[in-house]
Amino acid sequence: MASDGARKQFWKRSNSKVPGSIQHVYGAQHPPFDPLLHSTLLKSTPKVPTTPVKAKRVSTFQEFESNTSDAWDAGEDDDELLAMATESLNSEVVMETAHRVLRNHSQRQSQPSQKTPEPEPEPQPIAEPPVAPSGDLRLVKSVSESHTPCPSESTGDTVPLQRSQSLPHSATVTLSGTSDPHALADSALSKRETSRLDKFKQLLAGPNTDLEELRKLSWSGIPKPVRPMTWKLLSGYLPANVDRRPATLQRKQKEYFAFIEHYYSSRNDEVHQDTYRQIHIDIPRMSPEALILQPKVTEIFERILFIWAIRHPASGYVQGINDLVTPFFVVFICEYTDQEDVDKVDVSSVPAEVLRNIEADTYWCMSKLLDGIQDNYTFAQPGIQMKVKMLEELVSRIDERVHRHLDGNEVRYLQFAFRWMNNLLMRELPLRCTIRLWDTYQSEPEGFSHFHLYVCAAFLVRWRREILEERDFQELLLFLQNLPTARWDDQDVSLLLAEAYRLKFAFADAPNHYKKSSATLPRH
């Protein structure tokens, strides 16, 4: 149990600006409420089906409230297997498919190095995701590594494939008697990506795009050239009929700039100046800085956020909403730039008229997203409070040991998961991973509101070993607020989504699955 001294030291560090210090609950416009004082909200929570659990002390957050401030794919694509499994909506098929995806990743991870056996990982209560070696923060191999053919397939002699743990994760040992494995991998990957891109183009070129087919195809990721149009369709911004799209774009863009003309001049009025001031303060804190701090981009974000706040008085502007602009803007701007690194997009070469259209498209797509999660940002942010509570219940069933470890060290889910819900994991993942994650969210029914809960559960238990190694309240919270995902890529997101998909079909709207699943989980 954490001592009073440790907690006092935590609050002392949380108020400091030292890098790596524990961070405030970012985005809490209204302080996290006390469940005892707002019990009616929690009672109305659409709870995950429950089974009897050990009674535990109700958590309150007076200390936290007082400190809250405005700081801040190899061979057949595994994801495609999951997308195809959804067609049957048969839970047994879906569960088997999800297990197959996870098993494929595990087998790829276990193929290297027969000379030096890896230490046996702790039992995994959710599935069997591979545990990376010490110092290696990745879940699975790099794309090029996972596509490297086995020596037995390339030559007559069996040559053991090894990878030095001291090498960068993308590095592999050259196989004797074979051509460059990276070239072979890149070639296979290029063929598969070309094939998927052709499927998208054919689907989008028809007179009426089949949105259901588009969702199934998009679940496993959307190729960059067709992502802008696909996101506009999946978000509901553009119609499925090809002939109607130009007129819709023109009308919505004209409507947005009418809002600008009508409302934006009021940003310095007394009634709106606090909202505009907070937006103006928050934007420079966003990432990636190389993009956000470009003057044109800053102005665009200020206009988008201010207009949305004025037109949605039930919530107004709340910190966290600002982050949700970035993925849409980056995806739409990349259609007009050659920059491969999404973190370093330069808008200076983009014509002004194109920028205007991108601004309007970003506003409308962000608005569509927020329409589905607006209760996250109304007074006291009840949507987030409920989702954090549901996450706690879910984790207590899928990994009781992790749940008890957090509880035993007095780490409350609100202290780290509030930001996961408020910012949709955007502060936990690199932007490139967020964009890949959103491909799937826009393909899932209620992806940003419902499926996100299961992604968060899978994300927390992904760090099971590291969590259980921490024995101190402060270090646990520091770790959970600064998770080592900087090297993550699409493969890591794919594995996370596969596990979340499995959890969704095991637990969502199926009370009996708790009993069935609990019998299969290892006991600790």
Side-chain angles (χ1 to χ4, degrees):
M1 301 291 283
S3 67
D4 291 339
R7 283 194 297 272
K8 290 178 180 177
Q9 182 65 18
F10 155 61
W11 297 123
K12 181 178 179 181
R13 288 192 66 182
S14 70
N15 285 321
S16 70
K17 300 297 182 182
V18 179
S21 63
I22 294 176
Q23 301 165 26
H24 300 292
V25 179
Y26 179 81
Q29 179 188 37
H30 313 289
F33 59 29
D34 185 335
L36 295 176
L37 300 177
H38 299 78
S39 58
T40 55
L41 278 175
L42 290 182
K43 287 178 181 176
S44 63
T45 302
K47 305 185 84 173
V48 180
T50 59
T51 54
V53 295
K54 180 180 177 182
K56 59 189 272 304
R57 181 175 64 260
V58 176
S59 171
T60 61
F61 301 93
Q62 285 86 354
E63 280 188 297
F64 214 59
E65 175 179 342
S66 66
N67 285 275
T68 299
S69 77
D70 62 356
W72 339 2
D73 309 299
E76 184 70 42
D77 192 321
D78 287 335
D79 290 335
E80 288 183 0
L81 298 175
L82 290 177
M84 289 186 288
T86 61
E87 298 182 33
S88 65
L89 293 181
N90 182 304
S91 61
E92 292 183 3
V93 173
V94 173
M95 291 290 287
E96 174 57 32
T97 306
H99 278 301
R100 177 179 168 186
V101 172
L102 294 166
R103 197 159 53 242
N104 286 348
H105 281 284
S106 298
Q107 289 171 353
R108 290 174 196 157
Q109 183 72 4
S110 61
Q111 281 177 359
S113 184
Q114 298 176 359
K115 290 185 179 180
T116 308
E118 295 284 346
E120 185 177 353
E122 290 198 44
Q124 298 289 335
I126 299 182
E128 304 119 24
V131 178
S134 176
D136 190 341
L137 307 177
R138 302 275 299 272
L139 277 174
V140 294
K141 299 179 187 178
S142 65
V143 174
S144 59
E145 212 176 339
S146 63
H147 285 69
T148 304
C150 293
S152 58
E153 298 173 349
S154 306
T155 65
D157 299 323
T158 302
V159 182
L161 172 61
Q162 297 179 330
R163 174 169 60 85
S164 170
Q165 294 185 12
S166 63
L167 293 174
H169 202 78
S170 59
T172 55
V173 177
T174 303
L175 305 176
S176 63
T178 68
S179 57
D180 182 1
H182 292 281
L184 294 175
D186 290 342
S187 176
L189 187 61
S190 177
K191 289 180 180 179
R192 183 174 62 81
E193 289 178 342
T194 300
S195 175
R196 293 194 75 245
L197 179 58
D198 288 342
K199 291 179 183 178
F200 272 94
K201 287 181 175 179
Q202 291 173 12
L203 196 55
L204 294 171
N208 288 284
T209 301
D210 187 330
L211 296 181
E212 201 55 44
E213 286 300 317
L214 187 62
R215 288 189 184 96
K216 291 173 185 176
L217 194 56
S218 300
W219 205 99
S220 56
I222 304 170
K224 183 179 177 182
V226 293
R227 184 177 274 136
M229 178 57 68
T230 304
W231 275 27
K232 291 171 187 177
L233 288 167
L234 294 181
S235 68
Y237 172 43
L238 289 185
N241 184 278
V242 174
D243 294 335
R244 290 175 52 206
R245 289 175 196 166
T248 301
L249 276 173
Q250 186 177 16
R251 175 172 55 84
K252 299 301 285 185
Q253 290 166 357
K254 182 178 180 181
E255 188 177 347
Y256 170 72
F257 283 103
F259 294 157
I260 295 291
E261 185 176 350
H262 185 73
Y263 294 113
Y264 197 58
S265 60
S266 68
R267 63 190 181 279
N268 293 315
D269 293 354
E270 185 176 355
V271 68
H272 297 315
Q273 63 182 5
D274 287 346
T275 295
Y276 180 72
R277 173 186 169 276
Q278 191 62 59
I279 292 170
H280 189 73
I281 290 172
D282 288 344
I283 288 177
R285 297 174 175 155
M286 296 168 62
S287 62
E289 289 186 0
L291 171 69
I292 301 299
L293 295 183
Q294 295 176 52
K296 290 182 180 179
V297 177
T298 300
E299 293 171 7
I300 288 172
F301 277 47
E302 286 181 353
R303 287 193 293 267
I304 289 174
L305 291 168
F306 182 77
I307 296 302
W308 191 90
I310 294 301
R311 290 183 48 77
H312 296 81
S315 62
Y317 172 73
V318 179
Q319 292 165 307
I321 293 177
N322 52 320
D323 282 337
L324 308 185
V325 180
T326 309
F328 290 113
F329 182 80
V330 168
V331 165
F332 298 156
I333 199 76
C334 281
E335 189 175 8
Y336 300 94
T337 67
D338 297 326
Q339 177 60 257
E340 289 298 321
D341 188 347
V342 297
D343 293 351
K344 299 177 180 177
V345 174
D346 184 1
V347 303
S348 62
S349 60
V350 180
E353 187 60 30
V354 171
L355 269 180
R356 280 174 55 87
N357 294 340
I358 290 172
E359 178 178 345
D361 295 343
T362 300
Y363 169 82
W364 288 114
C365 288
M366 184 200 74
S367 296
K368 290 287 187 180
L369 185 164
L370 287 168
D371 285 347
I373 58 172
Q374 193 170 351
D375 64 339
N376 284 7
Y377 305 106
T378 54
F379 179 76
Q381 301 181 261
I384 293 179
Q385 303 283 346
M386 294 174 187
K387 289 181 178 71
V388 171
K389 187 67 176 176
M390 292 171 71
L391 175 65
E392 182 175 357
E393 289 192 19
L394 185 57
V395 173
S396 71
R397 284 160 178 74
I398 62 179
D399 197 328
E400 185 183 0
R401 187 176 176 189
V402 166
H403 176 72
R404 284 192 281 105
H405 186 68
L406 294 174
D407 185 61
N409 285 278
E410 299 188 0
V411 174
R412 305 301 175 224
Y413 284 72
L414 189 64
Q415 295 167 337
F416 61 88
F418 184 97
R419 188 172 71 185
W420 296 9
M421 302 299 178
N422 193 56
N423 304 76
L424 298 178
L425 289 176
M426 283 194 60
R427 302 243 164 182
E428 324 311 317
L429 299 174
L431 180 57
R432 62 185 179 276
C433 294
T434 294
I435 290 173
R436 168 62 190 91
L437 188 67
W438 283 25
D439 287 346
T440 299
Y441 278 6
Q442 296 194 84
S443 308
E444 275 282 322
E446 299 181 315
F448 291 98
S449 58
H450 185 65
F451 187 59
H452 180 67
L453 170 68
Y454 297 95
V455 171
C456 287
F459 188 61
L460 177 61
V461 182
R462 155 64 184 89
W463 308 103
R464 179 180 199 276
R465 185 180 67 177
E466 293 87 345
I467 289 171
L468 294 177
E469 286 175 352
E470 299 291 352
R471 301 291 179 180
D472 173 76
F473 167 82
Q474 180 170 313
E475 295 305 317
L476 264 171
L477 209 51
L478 278 171
F479 175 74
L480 289 168
Q481 291 187 341
N482 298 277
L483 292 166
T485 60
R487 295 176 59 200
W488 273 36
D489 60 14
D490 285 3
Q491 290 274 12
D492 299 290
V493 177
S494 295
L495 184 54
L496 178 67
L497 289 167
E499 183 58 25
Y501 196 69
R502 190 182 74 85
L503 290 176
K504 175 188 170 184
F505 272 83
F507 292 93
D509 305 319
N512 291 333
H513 283 198
Y514 280 120
K515 297 177 183 178
K516 293 177 183 177
S517 297
S518 62
T520 63
L521 295 179
R523 296 186 180 278
H524 303 284

